[in-house]
Every structure is written in structure tokens, then in C-alpha cells.
Amino acid sequence: KDAPYKNANVTPVNGTLYAQWTEKTATLVFSPNAGGDTVTGMPSGKTMTYTNGEVVPDNVPVRAGYDFLGWAEDPAATTPTIAAGDEIKAAKTVPENKTYYALWAPKAASIEYLPNAGTDTVTGVPAEQDLTYPDAASISADTPERTGYTFDGWNTQPDGKGTAYEPGKSYKGENTDPTPLVLYAQWDEITATL
């Protein structure tokens, strides 16, 4: 209830009252949008006012197995709508709280198959396969052919001293930062007894 005004002086004088104002504010929140995965490097929430916006922090959140794309108001978006350094302003005279969600893309790699046969002609070499974290891929079951030799599987080294991979076997990236897997065909020379 408004308090009554009474001049304390014996002789009344005019009084002037000044309105006091508090600027309306809203909260700007950044969500990791990563399910149950651990995300580090998230920016802190911000408070913006009717007249002053907030600059998007340049933090780059980190999530194992994924690349950070940017921020969007829709957690299911595929394209960021704001980036580090952008200024977000209240769109209305009554500022609304805003939540921006991190967008992610799985790290990608590939499985490449090489004939490893010098200048010999090899047919049936599998095409390169795409591999994204955390999905697994099957090593191609295709059997390359080379005149005078039988195919003996795949290896990470041309001389067969690396890691062997059997055709058809499931392969998953060794870690959360997939790297291309290059496989070399292994050959056994066909011999005959005279």
C-alpha cells in the first residue's frame, strides 16, 4: 500500500518524487545436448537485459567421439544458428530465458583396401568404406583375385607383420577418435610340383 505523504515542515512546500526502475533480465543457458555422455568445456550461463545482449562465449565443448558444430535453439537441429562471438539480444520488451543446445557430429574415418600386388592386375578389390563413431563396420567379405596367387586376408602392413583382419569380421574404431584404417591384401603364391 502506498505510504501517505506528509511534509514534515511546518510550512508546506512542494515535493518531487522520482520513479525508480529495475531493468528486466533473462537467463541465457547452454546445454551439452549429449545424452549421458560427458562433455567438458561448457560455457557458463549468462544474464542478459532488455537493452544489453550477451556475446556467445568462444568455448569449444569436448565430447569423446564427436566434433562440436556450434549452437542452436532446437536440440535436434543439424545446422548451428549461432557461433562464438555472436551477440544475442532480447527480442521483446519482456526478455525471455533462452537455452542454446550444443550440436555434434560423430567423428568419421574410413577403411581402405589396397591390392598390394606391385604391377600385377588384381580384380575384386573392395571399395573404400566409411566408418563413424561409435558404429562398427564389417571388413569386406569380397575376395580379390590375382593370377598365380591365392588371397590370404588383410593386414595393416604390406609385409603382413602388422595386425591381421579377416574378411567379414566386425571392426570398430580403436578409440573415440577414429583414424583411417588402411588394409593391404596378403597373397600366397601358388606352387606346383613337377
Side-chain angles (χ1 to χ4, degrees), residues 123-162:
T123 60
V125 177
E128 185 173 310
Q129 293 174 259
D130 292 328
L131 175 68
T132 56
Y133 175 83
D135 299 329
S138 294
I139 301 299
S140 177
D142 293 345
T143 302
E145 294 184 359
R146 176 186 180 189
T147 301
Y149 294 81
T150 56
F151 174 67
D152 191 30
W154 301 97
N155 198 284
T156 56
Q157 296 294 330
D159 60 7
K161 294 181 179 179

Side-chain angles (χ1 to χ4, degrees), residues 17-66:
L17 298 178
Y18 297 90
Q20 303 298 299
W21 303 97
T22 300
E23 193 169 17
K24 293 179 178 178
T25 62
T27 301
L28 184 61
V29 177
F30 296 92
S31 168
N33 191 31
D37 292 352
T38 298
V39 176
T40 59
M42 287 291 298
S44 302
K46 301 284 186 179
T47 299
M48 58 182 178
T49 63
Y50 169 59
T51 55
N52 295 315
E54 277 293 338
V55 174
V56 178
D58 58 4
N59 300 54
V60 178
V62 176
R63 177 186 180 190
Y66 294 81

